[in-house]
Amino acid sequence: AGSLLAHIIAPSELDSVAVNSLHHQALREVAQNFRATAHSGEGIVEGIEDPGKTFFLGVQWLPEYLERDQALFDALLMSEQA
């Protein structure tokens, strides 16, 4: 809640969202200027942001396969137009 990621894909402030976490590698540490904004049930970082930037967002799942995640691509396009 309160993150850019939550605002984009779960504007109703849900506590959790199902994703297709298919990766075999994951972040071990998040750099100081980044903030982990999503975690799997096992504690794997699934989303990161840079709070110092207007739009800096990364996810470790495959949003291109989830219709709901079209909002991520739309937000990216909107950020480019701003």
Side-chain angles (χ1 to χ4, degrees):
S3 68
L4 176 61
L5 181 59
H7 176 73
I8 293 170
I9 67 169
S12 61
E13 298 298 321
L14 298 173
D15 288 334
S16 65
V17 174
V19 299
N20 55 355
S21 193
L22 304 172
H23 46 76
H24 64 277
Q25 297 178 332
L27 294 172
R28 182 181 314 177
E29 299 175 13
V30 177
Q32 287 182 341
N33 56 317
F34 295 136
R35 180 174 75 132
T37 56
H39 295 86
S40 71
E42 296 82 25
I44 295 171
V45 174
E46 294 287 351
I48 62 169
E49 296 177 22
D50 183 345
K53 307 283 186 198
T54 303
F55 189 92
F56 191 104
L57 175 64
V59 297
Q60 288 206 119
W61 69 86
L62 301 169
E64 64 272 24
Y65 295 128
L66 299 172
E67 186 175 326
R68 176 216 57 224
D69 289 346
Q70 177 63 42
L72 287 171
F73 298 102
D74 295 343
L76 175 62
L77 291 172
M78 293 298 287
S79 74
E80 290 293 316
Q81 295 174 3

